Amino acid sequence: MMQKIQKFGGAMFTPVLLFAFSGIMVGITTVLTSEVIVGSIAEATTTWYKVWWTVKEGAWTIFRQIPLLFVVSLPIGLAKKQQARACMEALLLYLTFNYFIAAILANWGTALGVDYSVEAGNGTGLALVASIKTLDTNMVGALVVAGVVVYLHNKYFDTKLPEWLGVFKGSCFVCGIGFFVMLALAVVFCFVWPVIQTGMKSLQGFFMGSGALGVWVFTFCERILIPTGLHHFVYMPFAYESIAVDGGFKAAWALNLSEYAASSKSLATLFPAGRFALYGHSKIFAAPGISLAFYATAKKNKKKEVMGLMLPVALTAILCGITEPIEFTFLFAAPFLWPIHAVLAATLATIEYFVVGISGEFSSGLINWLALDWIPMAKNHMGQILAQIAVGLIFTALWFFIFSFCIKKFDLKTPGREDDDEEAKLMSKKDYKAAKAAEEDTSNDPTGSIEVEGGDAAKAKKFLELVGGKDNVEDVTNCATRLRLTLKDDSILADMSAFKKAGAHGLVHKGKAVQIIVGLSVPSVREEFENLLD
């Protein structure tokens, strides 16, 4: 079971790597389009603003299309063969799933408790997926569909059909079966998901009338529900609708900014609705603590790699308030940490409001904090701002120590802690012979007549020889840096030194489960490896 969980985490880590660059670009363009930071040149009517706004729209692409990204990425990591075709199948069936939902809601939406006539958007329960107005199932829908498709692909892709039905084999057969599975799945989601959404809406009254407990539960729900997309039902009504204050806390704060800046009263007294924007504190103060915990608990030979990974995602969270890169980094690799993260975020927001008296528009990153809160409020509220920072930094330390403790205590596979056996040792005579055999013996080719030369193809060929040939391989997947294999007989596996000689960085061997540490070129090596198997 643990092996399957790790395989799933590794598969999910591949798309997460894409978030860092996009997040940095969002941060840069946000700065360059902010009048508070760069002055009047960033007014909405200027060419400067229009150019950088265009660039920013492109940078937001990955964050607006997260479900599509994950529905295609899961088969890359989990499909046992023909990953490209599995990705095509997953995309087609995910779109089919959403077209089914759209048709069901168009005909029976009212009976199911869904107002399908409203425009799709955050907080409405509806979303646009590839221009399809459908239920907002976010990553849950995407991962469920992708998981089902991976299962169908692995089970039915190689099904042999009569010659006269040959046109329907392979991907066509998988999609044919998947068509009817998606219809049933869409029906289930149409009955179940609106009930869950309605339950989230009913919590709004509790949030409003429960004081400190209401703020704690509100912030906890906003964080814990991010993977499901249901967090939109937590914060969106408070941010944009008249639940806590007329027009939502975002508009109300901006409209009264001058008045609040001129007053010396506590910010919590001036703007009580701002307690529902304090979930943004975890975006800024959690990121450095989590990143440092991952760095501190990483293996010595991987600390530089972890630093290079975590620095950009931490900056993305702190400056822009985009937490997907850092949170998804551990959500799939170590889901045990996710509820702890949500508890700390909720506790921080509650203390900031009821103890420090902080309130305002703190729902985003540091750039927005400076423009909408700290700079305007500095003159009359500097004491509260400093207290806010002090409490936040204390919680940064808590994130660091608690995450570090849990990672070590439960041996969680966070970045830099993947299984690895690369200790320095002298080469024995047996190691030497194995390495020489891997390097020189090409007469007995377990891959048949396939001939490959150079680069990743050569690595793949050597790796296949060292694991005992294609007849000894049951399953092939990969994570961000490792080729993961399941062998029929692990007793014929060569020593780690032979794999290093063939270009690997190391080898992890646990029974029939084998991980060849390749590096970031592992997708290409896996493709060449599977070409040899075929």
Side-chain angles (χ1 to χ4, degrees):
M1 177 59 71
M2 182 57 67
Q3 182 186 358
K4 292 181 179 180
I5 293 174
Q6 289 181 1
K7 284 174 65 176
F8 178 82
M12 288 294 90
F13 193 67
T14 301
V16 170
L17 291 173
L18 303 176
F19 287 119
F21 173 76
S22 294
I24 291 171
M25 290 306 301
V26 168
I28 292 172
T29 52
T30 299
V31 170
L32 295 175
T33 55
S34 172
E35 286 189 63
V36 174
I37 297 174
V38 299
S40 60
I41 193 176
E43 290 181 358
T45 57
T46 63
T47 301
W48 172 277
Y49 177 88
K50 293 175 182 178
V51 168
W52 288 112
W53 181 83
T54 301
V55 176
K56 182 164 67 172
E57 284 296 289
W60 275 109
T61 300
I62 193 171
F63 301 107
R64 293 173 179 168
Q65 302 296 338
I66 285 177
L68 282 177
L69 176 68
F70 276 94
V71 84
V72 172
S73 298
L74 190 64
I76 294 175
L78 297 184
K80 295 180 179 179
K81 60 189 71 177
Q82 295 288 344
Q83 289 75 30
R85 291 182 180 271
C87 293
M88 177 186 69
E89 296 157 10
L91 179 60
L92 174 62
L93 290 175
Y94 180 63
L95 296 175
T96 303
F97 166 76
N98 282 293
Y99 272 118
F100 278 142
I101 288 179
I104 293 170
L105 295 182
N107 287 294
W108 300 287
T110 303
L112 293 168
V114 177
D115 184 1
Y116 193 66
S117 64
V118 302
E119 185 177 350
N122 291 337
T124 65
L126 301 172
L128 285 176
V129 175
S131 300
I132 308 166
K133 188 163 76 169
T134 181
L135 281 176
D136 184 5
T137 60
N138 203 267
M139 282 177 57
V140 172
L143 293 179
V144 168
V145 170
V148 169
V149 173
V150 167
Y151 171 79
L152 296 176
H153 176 86
N154 289 339
K155 187 174 180 64
Y156 295 110
F157 185 83
D158 288 333
T159 300
K160 296 186 182 299
L161 299 175
E163 187 70 26
W164 59 280
L165 288 176
V167 70
F168 294 107
K169 68 181 181 180
S171 290
C172 186
F173 190 62
V174 172
C175 289
I177 297 173
F179 180 88
F180 298 101
V181 175
M182 289 304 110
L183 177 57
L185 193 62
V187 171
V188 171
F189 265 82
C190 284
F191 275 95
V192 173
W193 205 254
V195 175
I196 297 174
Q197 293 176 336
T198 300
M200 293 306 306
K201 289 182 179 179
S202 68
L203 283 175
Q204 293 173 7
F206 170 79
F207 295 148
M208 285 297 298
S210 300
L213 179 61
V215 173
W216 194 95
V217 175
F218 172 89
T219 309
F220 177 82
C221 290
E222 192 278 333
R223 289 288 95 184
I224 201 73
L225 293 172
I226 284 177
T228 70
L230 291 171
H231 66 300
H232 295 314
F233 287 88
V234 177
Y235 77 88
M236 289 294 289
F238 292 86
Y240 297 104
E241 299 175 17
S242 301
I243 303 296
V245 65
D246 289 343
F249 65 69
K250 284 182 175 288
W253 175 261
L255 288 172
N256 296 283
L257 190 59
S258 298
E259 176 186 341
Y260 300 150
S263 175
S264 57
K265 294 182 180 178
S266 167
L267 291 171
T269 302
L270 292 169
F271 191 63
R275 65 189 186 275
F276 297 112
L278 299 182
Y279 60 85
H281 278 67
S282 65
K283 299 181 178 184
I284 289 182
F285 295 113
I290 294 172
S291 299
L292 288 171
F294 290 166
Y295 177 81
T297 56
K299 297 179 180 180
K300 289 183 179 180
N301 62 323
K302 293 193 173 184
K303 285 188 180 293
K304 289 184 179 179
E305 181 182 341
V306 172
M307 179 183 292
L309 173 68
M310 299 310 302
L311 186 60
V313 300
L315 289 175
T316 297
I318 293 170
L319 295 177
C320 313
I322 299 173
T323 58
E324 285 88 351
I326 193 166
E327 289 175 337
F328 287 4
T329 296
F330 68 86
L331 170 61
F332 301 109
F336 175 78
L337 296 175
W338 190 261
I340 296 175
H341 174 55
V343 167
L344 288 171
T347 306
L348 171 58
T350 305
I351 291 175
E352 290 283 19
Y353 182 78
F354 286 96
V355 177
V356 181
I358 276 291
S359 181
E361 215 295 76
F362 290 104
S363 62
S364 192
L366 188 61
I367 294 172
N368 279 11
W369 284 28
L370 288 168
L372 294 175
D373 296 278
W374 284 354
I375 293 176
M377 299 295 146
K379 182 178 180 181
N380 290 318
H381 301 278
M382 181 55 73
Q384 277 189 281
I385 293 173
L386 294 175
Q388 173 193 19
I389 295 172
V391 171
L393 291 176
I394 291 172
F395 270 81
T396 296
L398 287 176
W399 257 290
F400 170 75
F401 287 115
I402 293 174
F403 268 50
S404 297
F405 172 80
C406 291
I407 290 168
K408 293 177 181 178
K409 177 72 174 178
F410 302 103
D411 192 24
L412 302 177
K413 303 305 179 186
T414 49
R417 288 182 59 82
E418 302 87 351
D419 292 335
D420 198 346
D421 183 19
E422 294 190 79
E423 72 273 15
K425 65 176 183 178
L426 297 175
M427 182 178 287
S428 66
K429 185 175 182 180
K430 181 181 178 181
D431 293 336
Y432 175 77
K433 286 183 176 180
K436 293 296 290 182
E439 183 178 8
E440 298 175 359
D441 184 11
T442 58
S443 59
N444 182 21
D445 185 359
T447 65
S449 60
I450 296 175
E451 201 62 34
V452 289
E453 294 182 9
D456 293 333
K459 282 185 182 179
K461 183 179 179 181
K462 288 294 184 183
F463 293 159
L464 187 55
E465 293 172 1
L466 296 174
V467 299
K470 65 181 182 181
D471 292 335
N472 195 38
V473 178
E474 284 189 347
D475 184 32
V476 183
T477 59
N478 71 278
C479 64
T481 59
R482 296 164 184 244
L483 186 67
R484 297 173 180 258
L485 308 176
T486 302
L487 305 181
K488 295 177 183 177
D489 180 6
D490 65 297
S491 65
I492 60 177
L493 184 71
D495 289 339
M496 181 177 22
S497 57
F499 282 91
K500 287 188 174 182
K501 199 76 174 179
H505 297 292
L507 180 73
V508 179
H509 177 199
K510 290 187 175 180
K512 294 183 178 181
V514 173
Q515 299 174 25
I516 304 172
I517 305 170
V518 179
L520 295 177
S521 64
V522 69
S524 176
V525 173
R526 174 182 171 177
E527 182 178 357
E528 297 291 352
F529 192 91
E530 289 179 322
N531 288 340
L532 298 175
L533 292 179
D534 291 338

